[in-house]
Amino acid sequence: MTASLTCRKILSIEAGSVYAWETAEGGTGNILIDSEQSVARPCTPEGTTLGDMFLDKNIGNVENPDPDPEIRRAFLIAASVIFQAGKRQERLPDEITRTYW
């Protein structure tokens, strides 16, 4: 099964950058990448964090994972794609599209 993910920076705030993500399968959400570009959290389009789940790229684990495996998986994929693109470009990108299996 091949899938795709698009992430687009929609807002820059003091707390960091907000990305909207969407899968080809219709999944959507928002992620806040903190201003130090090391922690990702699910959020609203305005940047208000949702729940306690987060990913610290320095640790590499999802902390306080959402009980829904689909939400956890989508969050992890989107956060990983954003962090990987940021590492390659040495800054957070404005838009990212990835295909994965």
Side-chain angles (χ1 to χ4, degrees), residues 38-40 54-63 75 83:
S38 62
V39 176
F54 70 94
L55 172 67
D56 183 332
K57 75 175 186 178
N58 298 317
I59 297 171
N61 290 328
V62 173
E63 300 293 324
F75 169 75
F83 283 142

Side-chain angles (χ1 to χ4, degrees), residues 24-101:
E25 297 78 29
T28 62
N30 298 286
I31 291 183
L32 173 66
I33 304 294
D34 74 338
S35 57
E36 295 173 4
Q37 301 179 15
S38 62
V39 176
R41 296 181 184 276
C43 69
T44 66
E46 296 79 27
T48 303
T49 58
L50 301 170
D52 295 325
M53 182 169 58
F54 70 94
L55 172 67
D56 183 332
K57 75 175 186 178
N58 298 317
I59 297 171
N61 290 328
V62 173
E63 300 293 324
N64 306 315
D66 191 285
D68 184 327
E70 289 184 31
I71 291 173
R72 276 195 318 269
R73 181 175 186 272
F75 169 75
L76 182 58
I77 290 169
S80 297
V81 163
I82 295 167
F83 283 142
Q84 289 170 359
K87 184 176 180 178
R88 277 195 295 276
Q89 296 179 21
E90 298 181 2
R91 65 173 184 80
L92 289 177
D94 292 331
E95 190 166 331
I96 311 148
T97 301
R98 291 285 182 272
T99 301
Y100 57 95
W101 291 263

Side-chain angles (χ1 to χ4, degrees), residues 4 21-29:
S4 67
W21 60 265
E22 180 178 3
T23 66
E25 297 78 29
T28 62

